[in-house]
Amino acid sequence: MLISMNVNATEEQMRAVCTRIEELGFRPHPLTGTSRYVIGITGNKDLSAADQLSQMPGVAEVIAVTKPYKLVSRDMKPEDTVVRFAGSDATVGGAELAIMAGPCSVESRDQIFRVAEAVGKGGARFLRGGAFKPRTSPYAFQGMGEKGLEIMAAAREAFGLLVVTEAIDQESLALVEQYADMIQIGARNMQNFALLKQAGRTRKPVLLKRGMSATLEELLMAAEYIMSEGNYNVVLCERGIRTFASHTRNTLDVGIIPAAKKLTHLPILVDPSHAAGERDKVVPLALAGVAAGADGLIVEVHCDPDRALSDGAQSLYPDQFAAMVGQVRGIGEVLGRTLPQPGHPQPTGAGVSK
Amino acid sequence: MLISMNVNATEEQMRAVCTRIEELGFRPHPLTGTSRYVIGITGNKDLSAADQLSQMPGVAEVIAVTKPYKLVSRDMKPEDTVVRFAGSDATVGGAELAIMAGPCSVESRDQIFRVAEAVGKGGARFLRGGAFKPRTSPYAFQGMGEKGLEIMAAAREAFGLLVVTEAIDQESLALVEQYADMIQIGARNMQNFALLKQAGRTRKPVLLKRGMSATLEELLMAAEYIMSEGNYNVVLCERGIRTFASHTRNTLDVGIIPAAKKLTHLPILVDPSHAAGERDKVVPLALAGVAAGADGLIVEVHCDPDRALSDGAQSLYPDQFAAMVGQVRGIGEVLGRTLPQPGHPQPTGAGVSK
Amino acid sequence: MLISMNVNATEEQMRAVCTRIEELGFRPHPLTGTSRYVIGITGNKDLSAADQLSQMPGVAEVIAVTKPYKLVSRDMKPEDTVVRFAGSDATVGGAELAIMAGPCSVESRDQIFRVAEAVGKGGARFLRGGAFKPRTSPYAFQGMGEKGLEIMAAAREAFGLLVVTEAIDQESLALVEQYADMIQIGARNMQNFALLKQAGRTRKPVLLKRGMSATLEELLMAAEYIMSEGNYNVVLCERGIRTFASHTRNTLDVGIIPAAKKLTHLPILVDPSHAAGERDKVVPLALAGVAAGADGLIVEVHCDPDRALSDGAQSLYPDQFAAMVGQVRGIGEVLGRTLPQPGHPQPTGAGVSK
Amino acid sequence: MLISMNVNATEEQMRAVCTRIEELGFRPHPLTGTSRYVIGITGNKDLSAADQLSQMPGVAEVIAVTKPYKLVSRDMKPEDTVVRFAGSDATVGGAELAIMAGPCSVESRDQIFRVAEAVGKGGARFLRGGAFKPRTSPYAFQGMGEKGLEIMAAAREAFGLLVVTEAIDQESLALVEQYADMIQIGARNMQNFALLKQAGRTRKPVLLKRGMSATLEELLMAAEYIMSEGNYNVVLCERGIRTFASHTRNTLDVGIIPAAKKLTHLPILVDPSHAAGERDKVVPLALAGVAAGADGLIVEVHCDPDRALSDGAQSLYPDQFAAMVGQVRGIGEVLGRTLPQPGHPQPTGAGVSK
């Protein structure tokens, strides 16, 4: 923590700040010889208390130097985290790119089985699909609930895919933990701290989506909530941020990928579907994310998107998805990442946990 | 719902869209004579399904005309909602401006009693103070919990103030409903739909803060969630949005006040403290909010902000608060709003619900 | 300038940074005893060169402590600047609130004379109106040019108002300097540095509008460009920033008013018309700006807005304007600002410069 | 243009709107059978005048259906524009990816010759470098002026590269037109309409950078300004937008690439350097841009970035640049784009125009 004083701050004001720093149990380190006083603060306690000093006479600015996150930090763990799944050789964060695909919502057994087969053939090793849907309107389709989870688990058995699905509250999280291989926390819940802590007490990997206006630091702190409860298998996911630009639904912030990799050892995926909002723009955003260094993709695919109960306009057709995976493989090779050819023998029965 | 076709869309493409509209159970109304085809869509069912048409060949844009909210809409209820509280003559949304004040967090009985007395004398009729705190860091002070609610309830008895305090999850909401006069839903939970529905099943008025990147429509839809469960006493609150501007913590969006008043009958308050982030800027933002037509303020006040456990830098001193209320009264008079002189006999025992 | 090193930066890396600082001609001041190394940098030269150090091994962050602006700074000149106009007792930045009103564009002598009379009676002492229009479309009305300036100057003589009008390039600035009392630099030209320097070489006060995505520091640096050429009569103007919020055309950032007042001695106005985009929302935003501490308003008024060649939807009717000025006067009184009653004897012939 | 009326708008209000539409010289087309009235508007004149109707009683919204741009539109010219350069076989917008590289500023003949040689060997066919610099501070290095252009022209002769350099005002544009192969209009000047029109009257291709908060429509309208003066060789450039996210200097909006390609036939490049702000993040952003479908890159390279007079922290070292070009080639191949191996015989004397 550093205190920068105003150019015309008096010596008396500077001494008052130093005295206050000592009262708070810290040590002040005045830095002289500059055009303005700067005071460094050190100590063993939480330095954020020093933030209060910002309102003292003569203080221009309080500057945080120490970062508030610990477990997520690359300072703490320099090597990349590789997330593994019981009963499968799939990983997230290793050399292999992780491809997760499926519909926005679980609508029926038939729908899920058709799309699971298609995305598995197309190159996905993870099946996505929501049984609990956070919808902006209380009058919109809210998901099939536990019945949807049962369908997803059945598709896992049938097609050898890992299941990733969203939990939106305490009850659904308990169910998702039972049925799924990976628990998704959606963008709107990125700072639902009660949910994060509950996810931290499970033993399933967590896919944590960035909130629509979350800073990188806030995203890392949300991951810290999960890790501080003992669950170290957290995967971040960029899904677009809210800006003034309306040519896509959200603005995919590919810059967060190298920025996150510098600060944290956790893997990061890209969700091009929610950023794009329209099918035409999904593939370019997906390829951009991989090129920027993402560890994989989570993408919406539907066999009959014009009849989807949600997000149809941004769902890829299965053949578009398969073609995209081919391009992702090509780009991955340029960057030293691997992606197995689809149709390679998949391990079946990938960790049925119920 | 309207479909705008590309300039060079073919007649065949337009017919295909019309056919698809009929398949979906709606009626197409082609509008000719313009430089491009436009197709209106009518029907009794939820028109949002027509959104799927955006990806059909030749379609340039799908334009929503109907709004998705109902109960919050001024179309439905033209007159302003006035929220009332059991055992008190205080209101939100009527002629009288509502002033809510108190610390960020409940820290101790002594702290709350001192500040409650001060804000009551200064002109507040509502005491704010958090017992459950959504904190960005898992290592920061998380609030006193139920003990904090007991202190707030005791202060209500002692000083005749109504209590407004935040619920952050299922458990805390059940407790807040018991102890408080008004349930606050914070910005980070504005789209925590499970929490909104639960708040909608209580019978206490709800203070709903706008999410940091929520559109007006999303804020109204969040209120719709609460109202759709039967609780019609919802008060909106603008507290600053996330923008590129860093001279305040968030950018107070005063323009949402007249915009909201046009679309909804619900009252709207302003929280200048979280927008400002610094004490110096709180009063100008508070006055701006009232001048723009807000129905009142919720503001952070602390008797010893330099020692506050949270948000000290943005908390007003009691005398600053009292001076601000005087200015608010003056501005309110210009706009035809009232604000009783502080020290007027307050009703004691304002609706103890436990 | 401060350099914060990574937590696990080596001593060798820190020494390398110190050596490099000395090579650049500065002095390093290592600050020890904290969890990470911090190095202060002092020297007589422009410290921004130290920015290059951000890429050296072990460096976490380079933190600017010194501000890049000088002449605009309150550090340099603690008392408020009051801008005066030849041949008039009107001021901007003193106790009196400055009210500037008129149409978006000069369309005809008749239009200007009608509106000038109306806004003068309504309480304005400055007449606005554009003769040169920066329009998003090359096919839209681009303004009357010099003929428009002549009309404005004639209206000044007839109604005793000061004229403020926009210059958009070198040629128009030379003309505006001749005819107007105050030169307006529009939001799109806030970083047109050639234009700023030219405006700095004139001897007429300059109204500098904030760019749609300009930070406060960038706005101050733009004013610094003007002042560095010798023209110290600069008035800032907030007119709304670009955000995701679409319920107003732009988001009026009232928080910049107290933030600017803290850093600079220059006056700041608010333009509620361009922020609102719609007539209904102009008055609430105007009142909010004044309540937040602005030194006045510049607002669009048109006698027949439904037939205006530009910005009709956001132009007030004269009677709305007069009613608003009454409310502005009331709010100003609460804040210790004055606003003369309209109809008070105006000095005629306010400084004809041609 | 469509007018959507309020749900409870009266028939009388709707008739008044229709009457007003006819007065304006357009034809109203009421669309009935929906929950609210919608009125289509057609006519031969500029429909933007209908915008005024937004303030009439009962009107909920005015919706623009027609786009304001013409020459830039893919409706007008479905096939991609390929920009060609006199005396060179390099193109922008064809199958070959265009690589432009060089320092932020021209600092000396030696600096430019060293970097020109390096980027030519590394795979660039265009040399960038500014002789006129728009700097936020009036006290920062403002560029070498015409002397800098002479150095750039000499480097073109020596290394067979095309020269692209920025013009910032009328005088510098006249000089840049003489010396350069391509005229760059910077982000801050994207809506400097006088400069755009002047560039439109030259016969050199124009590189038009997106403003920091420009919408896609505003970018297209800026290109329309240039084209409307007769210069059809315009290349767009995405360089990052201003958002709340501070982990990169600006947020590279890769989504604008597919969005632009849908609406316009003009090529679009990506500038990863100004978006990144830090060397470490430049390459990931560059690759993301190419993967999203950009027609090439403009990137900052410096042989001694730690001593650069501007933008050193975001300049690549020559060997980083060469490695990046190799990856760009690989990604280009995946997408069907070509990029010649560096060192292929370049045409020398690429169109000296002086």
Side-chain angles (χ1 to χ4, degrees), chain A residues 135 139 218 224-225 242, chain B residues 135 139 218 224-225 242:
Chain A
R135 300 300 296 275
Y139 311 120
E218 288 169 344
E224 186 86 17
Y225 258 97
R242 192 150 261 177
Chain B
R135 300 301 295 274
Y139 312 119
E218 287 168 345
E224 186 87 15
Y225 259 97
R242 192 150 261 176

Side-chain angles (χ1 to χ4, degrees), chain A residues 20 23 52 135 137 139 142 170-171 188 191-192 213 218 221 224-225 242 306-307 312-313, chain B residues 20 23 52 135 137 139 142 170-171 188 191-192 213 218 221 224-225 242 306-307 312-313:
Chain A
R20 188 84 188 89
E23 275 176 38
Q52 311 295 348
R135 300 300 296 275
S137 166
Y139 311 120
Q142 308 268 326
Q170 202 169 322
E171 287 73 25
R188 290 185 185 80
Q191 292 197 316
N192 183 335
S213 64
E218 288 169 344
M221 290 308 293
E224 186 86 17
Y225 258 97
R242 192 150 261 177
D306 294 351
R307 286 176 174 76
Chain B
R20 188 83 188 87
E23 276 176 40
Q52 312 295 349
R135 300 301 295 274
S137 165
Y139 312 119
Q142 309 267 326
Q170 201 169 322
E171 287 73 25
R188 291 185 184 78
Q191 293 196 316
N192 183 336
S213 64
E218 287 168 345
M221 290 308 292
E224 186 87 15
Y225 259 97
R242 192 150 261 176
D306 294 352
R307 285 174 175 77

Side-chain angles (χ1 to χ4, degrees), chain C:
Chain C
M1 196 71 74
L2 297 156
I3 309 279
S4 167
M5 303 293 290
N6 285 326
V7 164
N8 47 16
T10 62
E11 243 186 83
E12 198 177 332
Q13 288 173 333
M14 202 205 55
R15 277 196 305 268
V17 171
C18 289
T19 303
R20 188 84 187 87
I21 290 169
E22 286 166 347
E23 275 176 39
L24 287 168
F26 304 119
R27 281 182 52 205
H29 303 259
L31 174 65
T32 54
T34 72
S35 61
R36 53 176 72 206
Y37 295 116
V38 174
I39 308 167
I41 304 178
T42 60
N44 297 318
K45 295 195 310 176
D46 175 17
L47 287 162
S48 72
D51 196 40
Q52 312 295 349
L53 302 167
S54 70
Q55 300 297 306
M56 289 190 72
V59 172
E61 216 177 341
V62 175
I63 301 161
V65 171
T66 319
K67 297 302 177 201
Y69 39 82
K70 299 175 188 175
L71 300 170
V72 302
S73 173
R74 212 177 260 286
D75 285 344
M76 186 71 105
K77 174 171 179 290
E79 66 281 2
D80 288 345
T81 286
V82 180
V83 175
R84 299 178 190 285
F85 298 84
S88 168
D89 65 346
T91 55
V92 183
E96 185 180 323
L97 291 167
I99 307 294
M100 308 182 177
C104 175
S105 303
V106 182
E107 298 168 15
S108 70
R109 182 184 167 98
D110 179 57
Q111 170 235 20
I112 289 297
F113 272 56
R114 281 175 64 206
V115 78
E117 184 174 13
V119 300
K121 283 189 183 156
R125 297 187 63 169
F126 296 78
L127 176 67
R128 64 151 290 155
F132 302 94
K133 302 302 305 174
R135 299 300 297 273
T136 306
S137 165
Y139 312 120
F141 174 60
Q142 308 267 327
M144 289 183 74
E146 188 168 3
K147 179 72 193 154
L149 295 179
E150 288 170 7
I151 292 170
M152 291 293 280
R156 172 179 48 201
E157 298 311 298
F159 301 102
L161 297 165
L162 293 164
V163 164
V164 53
T165 191
E166 183 168 357
I168 59 173
D169 54 19
Q170 203 169 321
E171 287 74 25
S172 59
L173 178 49
L175 289 167
V176 166
E177 187 188 0
Q178 275 189 301
Y179 286 95
D181 300 291
M182 188 171 205
I183 300 163
Q184 181 179 324
I185 304 290
R188 290 184 185 79
N189 282 314
M190 193 202 83
Q191 293 197 316
N192 183 337
F193 301 119
L195 197 65
L196 296 177
K197 284 191 238 180
Q198 192 187 343
R201 289 189 294 266
T202 70
R203 287 298 164 263
K204 290 278 172 74
V206 177
L207 179 66
L208 176 66
K209 288 193 155 182
R210 179 185 185 189
M212 242 182 300
S213 65
T215 62
L216 173 53
E217 185 166 306
E218 288 169 344
L219 174 60
L220 295 180
M221 290 308 291
E224 186 86 17
Y225 258 97
I226 299 170
M227 293 180 77
S228 70
E229 297 287 333
N231 186 344
Y232 282 32
N233 289 307
V234 180
V235 176
L236 310 175
C237 183
E238 161 64 22
R239 46 77 73 211
I241 56 173
R242 191 151 261 176
T243 72
F244 67 86
S246 59
H247 48 261
T248 45
R249 181 185 292 169
N250 293 116
T251 298
L252 188 73
D253 176 13
V254 289
I256 203 173
I257 299 167
K261 293 256 168 225
K262 198 171 170 185
L263 298 180
T264 186
H265 50 83
L266 296 174
I268 183 164
L269 303 185
V270 157
D271 169 354
S273 307
H274 286 85
E278 281 191 302
R279 194 175 303 139
D280 289 353
K281 293 163 190 159
V282 171
V283 174
L285 294 188
L287 302 183
V290 171
D295 294 295
L297 297 171
I298 178 163
V299 61
E300 291 187 350
V301 180
H302 199 290
C303 294
D304 190 6
D306 294 352
R307 286 174 173 77
L309 292 183
S310 56
D311 283 359
Q314 72 196 34
S315 296
L316 296 180
Y317 288 97
D319 56 344
Q320 286 181 302
F321 169 71
M324 180 193 80
V325 172
Q327 292 183 309
V328 167
R329 184 176 300 108
I331 292 175
E333 277 164 17
V334 172
L335 300 172
R337 307 297 292 254
T338 62
L339 190 57
Q341 289 292 340
H344 90 130
Q346 303 268 352
T348 54
V352 189
S353 55
K354 203 182 174 184

Side-chain angles (χ1 to χ4, degrees), chain B residues 104-154:
Chain B
C104 174
S105 303
V106 182
E107 299 169 15
S108 70
R109 181 184 168 98
D110 179 58
Q111 170 235 20
I112 290 297
F113 272 58
R114 281 175 65 205
V115 78
E117 183 174 13
V119 301
K121 282 189 183 158
R125 297 186 65 168
F126 296 78
L127 177 66
R128 63 152 289 155
F132 303 95
K133 302 303 304 175
R135 300 301 295 274
T136 306
S137 165
Y139 312 119
F141 174 59
Q142 309 267 326
M144 289 183 73
E146 187 168 4
K147 178 70 194 153
L149 294 179
E150 288 171 7
I151 292 171
M152 290 293 280

Side-chain angles (χ1 to χ4, degrees), chain B residues 83-85 92 100 164-165 167 173 176-177 181-186 195-209 222-223 226-227 231-237 266-267 269:
Chain B
V83 175
R84 300 179 189 283
F85 299 84
V92 184
M100 308 182 178
V164 53
T165 191
L173 178 49
V176 166
E177 186 187 1
D181 300 290
M182 188 171 205
I183 300 163
Q184 181 180 323
I185 304 289
L195 196 65
L196 297 177
K197 284 191 236 178
Q198 193 187 343
R201 290 188 294 266
T202 70
R203 287 299 164 264
K204 290 279 172 75
V206 177
L207 180 64
L208 175 67
K209 287 193 155 185
I226 299 169
M227 293 180 75
N231 186 345
Y232 283 31
N233 289 308
V234 181
V235 176
L236 310 174
C237 183
L266 296 174
L269 303 186

